[in-house]
Amino acid sequence: RGSGPPFFDGPVAPLVKSKNGWRPVKNTSALVVAEKKVRAILNKMTKEKFDRLAEQMCEIPVLSYEILTMMIGIVYEKAIDEPSFGDMYGDLCVKLSQQVQTD
């Protein structure tokens, strides 16, 4: 039990900020932004909030085929993972397809 590293009990120098310290880089591509929006909306989706959130989902700009396939894939995965909400995700797909047809 006592074979771990020795306990350090001396003074500790404070951390010094450097000018080129690591900072996370945000990916602001249209695909990443759309994916975050889709996931956020689907995570909040319930039968009570369906109309409002489905409208928000329809407002996400589908600027490319990649964004469209990403949206389809995420909705499909949610429907598979949550079979009790399958009918709601089906209704969402109908609403999205109607939106695409009118654009």
Side-chain angles (χ1 to χ4, degrees):
R1 281 207 145 222
S3 63
F7 181 72
F8 184 72
D9 197 23
V12 178
L15 293 177
V16 179
K17 286 189 176 185
S18 67
K19 291 179 182 176
N20 62 349
W22 181 85
R23 289 200 176 115
V25 177
K26 288 189 178 185
N27 187 341
T28 56
S29 73
L31 181 66
V32 172
V33 170
E35 182 178 356
K36 285 182 180 183
K37 286 180 183 176
V38 169
R39 289 189 188 280
I41 290 169
L42 290 178
N43 285 339
K44 297 175 197 165
M45 183 88 55
T46 62
K47 292 181 179 175
E48 295 78 24
K49 298 178 185 177
F50 176 79
D51 292 326
R52 180 175 57 87
L53 293 174
E55 191 62 39
Q56 287 179 19
M57 191 82 146
C58 289
E59 290 170 1
I60 295 174
V62 181
L63 304 173
S64 67
Y65 181 74
E66 289 80 17
I67 291 175
L68 178 63
T69 56
M70 173 273 300
M71 290 174 79
I72 292 168
I74 292 174
V75 172
Y76 177 79
E77 287 300 319
K78 283 294 253 187
I80 297 298
D81 291 344
E82 301 171 9
S84 59
F85 290 117
D87 59 331
M88 181 182 68
Y89 292 121
D91 293 341
L92 177 62
C93 290
V94 169
K95 241 181 162 32
L96 288 169
S97 71
Q98 290 170 344
Q99 178 71 25
V100 169
Q101 290 173 2
T102 59
D103 285 352

